Amino acid sequence: MITAGVDIGSTSSKVVVLEDGKKILSKVIIPVGAGSSGPARAFEQSIREVNLSREDIKRVIATGYGRTHFPGADQQITEITCHARGVYELLPGVRTIIDIGGQDAKAIRVGQGGIVSNFIMNDKCAAGTGRFLEVMSRILEINIEDLADLAALAENPASISNTCTVFAESEVISQLSGGTSREDVAAGIVNSVVGRVAGLVKRLGVQSEVVMTGGVCLNWMIIRMMEKELAIPVMASPMAQLTGALGAALFAFESAR
Amino acid sequence: MTQLKELLSTLEHVAKHPAQVINKCLEDKRLMIGCTPEYCPEEIVYAAGMLPVGLWGGATSIRNANQYFPAFACSLVQTTLELGMRGVYDQLAGVIIPAHCDHLKCFGQDWKVAVPQVRFIPLAHPINRKLEAAVEYLKSEYSRIKSVLEEIGGKPISHQDLSEAIEVYNLHRKTLREFTLIARDYCTTITPSVRHNVIKSGYFMDKLEHTQLVNSLIGELKKAPPEEWKGQKVVLTGIMAEPKEILDMFEEYGLAVAADDLAQESRQFRTDVPEGKDPLERLARHWSCMEGCSLLYDPQKNRRFMLKTMAEESRADGVVACIMKFCEMEEFDYPIYKKTLEEAEIPLLYLELDLATPSLEQVRTRIQSFAEMISLKP
Ligand code: SF4
């Protein structure tokens, strides 16, 4: 049986196509999300790659911020529930998930059988989210993927506020014009996100094992700083930003069975 | 069944279109007094022959009230002042504004200058409310309000008027308590928003009339056997469960309301005005008798135990904290009851609400995730 999970985030669309709830047939990431052509394109591409049509897919579950607006879905489940399911499949020992999304951050407690037993969401401000990293990378004139490497070269990480993106933006500009090195500013940016999100995780209660999901977990510097901040090892999800789509595809398989 | 539908639609109509009821009141030449959150002595207004009208803000954007309030004032006071400044409450003969929290303290002062056409009637409750001196003090506050209302209405308010009003209100309280108990057995018919509208409509109607309608509703509900409910049930706590879209989301994700601990709902009617000889003293003593609200001084913080018992007795699958954004009163209580509920393994959702700028998609994710969480719970 073939099922699919479509995770429509605010900045990207991710699809996982699964056979019999086990074998990943295709996975696609398109860097545009809710409200764009991204979700439809990602879905099309994921089934085309394996020569399938929509009729071949027994069940499609949409998740993520744009889940309610994806016309091809049979059901919608939130990214919180889907990330927990995806992580449980990949790393069954995980109890704490940190998911830094495009415009919010979540700390999720995974209970028995991969079921969420508690969660906290931060969506008040872009501070502590992927959007924050994006805005700051633009000021530093680098690609977001290069932020970790730049931050690793810091000698004296700058101190950058983590309460408001707009203030942080002007802080970064004034630090740069005041002569602080780009490396130190980059490290300050990473610290800022980590500080904000770690606060969220501490509120939930840190329980081993801890994993990070979402695109931000590809930033190895954030993982390392998070470990330091939480004083516990933190892993990156092997499927990074595809973890939620995997969870959705698994739910689709379980409910269609 | 038709009768049931008619009753529900009447109550829903009143909750959604209070202006029509108010126009009727104007035609009847009955004066109206606005009663702002959270606790006003409506019985005195009723005893004066006037209609107490609940003013609990509304879904509107802020264009004028921000001249008086900083951005971090709760949307309940901001939207109420906004509507006042736009002239929505001009038909009222006065408005009673208590000073339970810092925002309400400013609100009263702001009202005086921002909405001068509607007379401001201040009210300050005693904090240390269990003392006899507190009852005496509050009685003097109520006596002052009574004099203001006598002046507005042009006629005295007798002891008998007050005692009769208390009876009307206590009967109304009893009826709403009965309704909330019955409602949990008819979750398909009494959806979260239907339940809310039944209670909310009482803020715009004569309490006698509302009592009759709710009584008939209870009678109609009882004619059918209790409905089977396949979804989950939650207890709502906080100041109020608005904007209305959130209640629709509860319904969409299979959540029914088992019981509530909301200031706009059950906290208003779960405690009767006590017996006694002097009606003003009885009203003042009511304030000492109420329990379990963030606005009531309670050094033992018994609300946490009340909530736990409420969730257990109503067999709720979880508790939803409807926290009005920037409401410190509720925020202070939250960590205390969170700990108690966690110890009892009762799932709890923190839902931050804003009447003026609701970010509903994030709220949707929270509600849906919580519904998924409690429905999948092993
Ligand atoms: S909601 Fe909270 S802050 Fe607002 S008026 Fe009520 S008690 Fe005060």
Side-chain angles (χ1 to χ4, degrees):
Chain A
M1 185 203 307
I2 305 200
T3 57
V6 184
D7 181 358
I8 307 163
S10 57
T11 52
S12 62
S13 310
K14 289 85 60 176
V15 180
V16 167
V17 178
L18 212 55
E19 188 177 24
D20 296 331
K22 284 204 169 62
K23 189 174 163 210
I24 295 175
L25 296 181
S26 67
K27 42 187 191 192
V28 171
I29 302 173
I30 285 193
V32 277
S36 73
S37 62
R41 279 197 287 138
F43 185 64
E44 288 298 311
Q45 192 182 321
S46 71
I47 55 177
R48 209 179 330 115
E49 272 180 10
V50 281
N51 295 322
L52 294 171
S53 68
R54 173 64 181 90
E55 291 70 49
D56 299 319
I57 319 272
K58 181 86 181 168
R59 194 167 175 81
V60 178
I61 290 188
T63 185
Y65 182 64
R67 67 188 177 283
T68 51
H69 300 295
F70 185 67
D74 298 301
Q75 190 189 343
Q76 293 95 20
I77 298 183
T78 68
E79 57 274 33
I80 293 177
T81 309
C82 288
H83 273 262
R85 182 66 189 89
V87 163
Y88 183 69
E89 194 68 16
L90 300 166
L91 304 160
V94 164
R95 290 289 160 267
T96 311
I97 301 176
I98 306 168
D99 173 34
I100 303 184
Q103 59 174 16
D104 58 25
K106 304 171 188 95
I108 307 164
R109 162 85 57 253
V110 189
Q112 239 181 324
I115 291 165
V116 175
S117 63
N118 201 358
F119 63 91
I120 304 186
M121 244 176 111
N122 164 44
D123 53 39
K124 292 292 139 341
C125 174
T129 70
R131 176 90 188 123
F132 180 86
L133 294 170
E134 211 179 281
V135 170
M136 298 307 162
S137 304
R138 203 179 317 130
I139 301 172
L140 287 171
E141 297 178 283
I142 53 166
N143 286 327
I144 189 163
E145 299 81 44
D146 300 329
L147 189 66
D149 292 340
L150 187 66
L153 302 173
E155 282 173 6
N156 279 313
S159 158
I160 290 161
S161 143
N162 66 9
T163 48
C164 168
T165 306
V166 180
F167 285 146
E169 194 174 347
S170 51
E171 232 177 286
V172 165
I173 295 171
S174 70
Q175 294 252 19
L176 288 171
S177 57
T180 310
S181 74
R182 291 168 73 246
E183 292 79 4
D184 287 349
V185 170
I189 290 165
V190 170
N191 277 340
S192 159
V193 169
V194 169
R196 174 99 177 194
V197 179
L200 202 68
V201 185
K202 286 177 193 163
R203 259 207 284 156
L204 182 80
V206 188
Q207 267 184 30
S208 179
E209 303 168 355
V210 183
V211 75
M212 273 187 76
T213 59
V216 175
C217 79
L218 298 172
N219 183 318
W220 59 270
M221 194 64 183
I222 290 205
I223 301 261
R224 190 183 292 170
M225 298 305 298
M226 190 67 82
E227 286 185 323
K228 219 166 126 192
E229 191 69 35
L230 299 176
I232 195 167
V234 176
M235 300 176 274
S237 164
M239 283 190 68
Q241 62 268 62
L242 284 156
T243 314
L246 171 68
L250 285 164
F251 275 126
F253 171 71
E254 282 149 15
S255 54
R257 207 164 29 165
Chain B
M1 198 63 189
T2 338
Q3 172 93 20
L4 178 69
K5 276 193 184 145
E6 271 170 25
L7 283 164
L8 289 175
S9 110
T10 307
L11 292 163
E12 183 189 348
H13 186 81
V14 173
K16 289 187 174 163
H17 309 281
Q20 289 181 15
V21 181
I22 284 164
N23 286 340
K24 166 88 177 51
C25 216
L26 284 174
E27 276 170 29
D28 298 346
K29 303 220 170 359
R30 186 175 180 187
L31 294 177
M32 289 169 285
I33 297 289
C35 294
T36 69
E38 271 76 17
Y39 301 104
C40 285
E42 285 195 23
E43 288 89 340
I44 309 178
V45 178
Y46 195 85
M50 302 173 190
L51 182 76
V53 179
L55 308 184
W56 289 74
T60 186
S61 54
I62 305 297
R63 270 181 260 127
N64 303 295
N66 49 8
Q67 292 169 47
Y68 295 95
F69 279 122
F72 51 82
C74 83
S75 57
L76 187 44
V77 293
Q78 293 225 41
T79 56
T80 312
L81 187 67
E82 176 73 28
L83 294 170
M85 289 174 78
R86 287 200 217 138
V88 172
Y89 303 135
D90 282 2
Q91 319 281 23
L92 303 178
V95 55
I96 303 176
I97 303 182
H100 299 300
C101 68
D102 287 349
H103 299 187
L104 281 166
K105 277 178 201 141
C106 302
F107 179 44
Q109 298 306 313
D110 294 338
W111 186 278
K112 235 181 349 189
V113 272
V115 197
Q117 68 277 23
V118 183
R119 182 166 173 173
F120 164 50
I121 308 168
L123 166 62
H125 288 84
I127 300 295
N128 217 337
R129 61 200 180 90
K130 298 281 178 186
L131 306 174
E132 266 314 292
V135 177
E136 216 173 290
Y137 159 76
L138 189 56
K139 188 182 158 191
S140 72
E141 275 291 277
Y142 286 172
S143 169
R144 178 181 50 76
I145 289 178
K146 175 173 164 278
S147 308
V148 173
L149 294 173
E150 285 171 335
E151 184 201 318
I152 293 174
K155 58 173 191 200
I157 304 169
S158 69
H159 266 219
Q160 189 171 344
D161 294 333
L162 284 166
S163 300
E164 282 171 11
I166 292 173
E167 293 324 307
V168 168
Y169 270 74
N170 273 352
L171 182 62
H172 183 249
R173 290 187 177 100
K174 181 170 168 269
T175 308
L176 285 186
R177 287 198 296 268
E178 193 183 344
F179 166 70
T180 54
L181 278 179
I182 294 275
R184 66 169 76 139
D185 289 333
Y186 296 87
C187 293
T188 311
T189 305
I190 309 296
T191 64
S193 57
V194 167
R195 185 185 183 280
H196 174 66
N197 286 334
V198 169
I199 298 170
K200 189 178 177 182
S201 53
Y203 282 103
F204 314 117
M205 288 176 81
D206 187 300
K207 292 291 189 283
L208 257 187
E209 196 189 338
H210 192 248
T211 303
Q212 278 165 6
L213 285 175
V214 178
N215 255 328
S216 311
L217 175 63
I218 294 169
E220 287 301 313
L221 281 171
K222 280 183 177 167
K223 282 183 186 166
E227 294 166 347
E228 193 191 344
W229 179 247
K230 295 217 172 75
Q232 269 59 47
K233 290 187 184 179
V234 291
V235 165
L236 304 181
T237 185
I239 297 297
M240 62 200 281
E242 284 192 24
K244 64 177 178 43
E245 288 87 347
I246 67 150
L247 293 171
D248 297 334
M249 288 181 199
F250 282 129
E251 188 181 346
E252 192 179 335
Y253 297 115
L255 298 176
V257 178
D260 84 85
D261 167 52
L262 297 168
Q264 195 190 24
E265 302 188 9
S266 285
R267 288 186 201 168
Q268 298 290 333
F269 52 79
R270 66 185 171 203
T271 316
D272 280 343
V273 172
E275 293 300 321
K277 284 199 184 84
D278 178 345
L280 278 188
E281 189 183 316
R282 289 174 69 192
L283 288 174
R285 209 169 282 287
H286 189 213
W287 178 247
S288 326
C289 301
M290 296 194 305
E291 297 300 342
C293 171
S294 55
L295 307 179
L296 299 168
Y297 177 56
D298 169 19
Q300 308 305 324
K301 293 288 170 205
N302 284 319
R303 178 180 173 194
R304 59 193 156 143
F305 305 120
M306 287 174 70
L307 265 176
K308 176 177 170 277
T309 310
M310 194 184 285
E312 287 167 349
E313 283 179 0
S314 65
R315 305 234 179 100
D317 301 285
V319 174
V320 180
C322 303
I323 308 279
M324 189 62 71
K325 191 170 176 180
F326 302 125
C327 174
E328 300 115 350
M329 307 303 280
E330 282 292 318
E331 279 169 359
F332 285 142
D333 271 9
Y334 179 77
I336 298 167
Y337 64 78
K338 176 176 180 266
K339 191 163 176 268
T340 308
L341 295 177
E342 267 173 9
E343 282 164 4
E345 294 187 11
I346 299 170
L348 171 67
L349 172 68
Y350 183 99
L351 211 54
E352 188 178 81
L353 302 173
D354 188 336
L355 299 173
T357 48
S359 53
L360 291 172
E361 283 315 301
Q362 266 91 4
V363 169
R364 174 185 292 282
T365 299
R366 283 183 162 87
I367 294 175
Q368 191 183 350
S369 298
F370 189 68
E372 289 166 359
M373 181 177 111
I374 57 178
S375 67
L376 293 170
K377 200 176 164 206

